[in-house]
Amino acid sequence: MPKATPRSDLPFEIRKSTIQGRGAFATRRIRPGQRIIEYTGEHITPDEGDRRYEESGMGRHHTFLFTLDDDTVVDGKRGGNESRYINHSCDPNCEAIIEGPHIFIYAKKNIQPGSELTYDYQYERRPDHTKEDEEFYACRCGTAKCRGTILAPPKRKRAKKKSAAKRGRA
């Protein structure tokens, strides 16, 4: 089992963010592909996560849950570390990669000191999501590629190929 990164060895610090509450900001250059930190916390069932973070009582969405698999979510608020402060962005500089029972945050690109670390949360989008859900899961990343929500992008329907006759070929 990988050891937790000692606080002094972390390449970032936590401070106020323009995206959301507090965020993680690079204190030194982070190279593409570099493992930054493991997302840690209590491993619980999705039902327990729903109980702990009852969305109907929230004015806007806010949890520290990360889905590990169909049966397990990690609650970063309980037993978690500084990784829980890495905010969402639609144009992120980091990515979360699941490796067995672990979730690691890696740099996707070169990150300069002072830059906020972000990854795309890609919350599960259900067919029954409404416009109100889009607003509840609003994104505040402010990037040119912002899709306005932390929900995963809608799945694109594949265009059907036209037959040769319909394209004007015989």
Side-chain angles (χ1 to χ4, degrees):
M1 177 180 285
K3 292 184 178 182
T5 305
R7 291 186 96 192
S8 61
D9 290 344
L10 290 176
F12 65 88
E13 64 186 5
I14 306 303
R15 60 180 201 240
K16 187 170 175 40
S17 168
T18 57
I19 296 174
Q20 169 68 37
R22 291 185 278 176
F25 293 82
T27 54
R28 60 183 179 258
R29 182 177 177 203
I30 304 172
R31 297 183 185 278
Q34 181 179 335
R35 182 188 287 181
I36 299 170
I37 192 168
E38 179 178 2
Y39 192 96
T40 62
E42 183 180 0
H43 287 219
I44 58 175
T45 65
D47 289 341
E48 175 62 15
D50 290 343
R51 188 191 67 71
R52 289 182 184 180
Y53 297 94
E54 178 58 45
E55 290 185 345
S56 64
M58 295 180 190
R60 61 178 178 74
H61 178 75
H62 187 262
T63 73
F64 292 105
L65 297 177
F66 195 116
T67 301
L68 183 61
D69 57 39
D70 290 342
D71 302 316
T72 311
V73 294
V74 178
D75 185 353
K77 187 173 182 181
R78 298 191 180 170
N81 59 17
E82 293 89 343
S83 64
R84 71 179 178 258
Y85 296 110
I86 300 175
N87 281 316
H88 163 86
S89 176
C90 299
D91 188 17
N93 54 17
C94 298
E95 61 185 332
I97 298 177
I98 296 171
E99 298 177 14
H102 304 279
I103 304 163
F104 294 103
I105 309 300
Y106 287 89
K108 284 179 64 172
K109 49 182 110 172
N110 196 18
I111 303 170
Q112 295 300 322
S115 297
E116 184 167 4
L117 306 182
T118 59
Y119 63 91
D120 189 338
Y121 288 2
Q122 295 192 38
Y123 273 43
E124 179 184 7
R125 179 182 291 275
R126 297 187 317 261
D128 64 340
H129 273 144
T130 64
K131 183 178 178 181
E132 289 77 24
D133 291 323
E134 295 281 334
E135 292 169 5
F136 183 70
Y137 294 102
C139 175
R140 296 173 179 85
C141 73
T143 67
K145 294 182 179 179
C146 184
R147 59 182 180 268
T149 180
I150 64 174
L151 294 171
K155 294 193 184 213
R156 294 182 183 184
K157 293 183 181 179
R158 296 182 92 176
K160 293 182 181 179
K161 291 184 178 181
K162 295 180 183 179
S163 69
K166 288 184 179 178
R167 288 192 302 240
R169 294 187 187 158

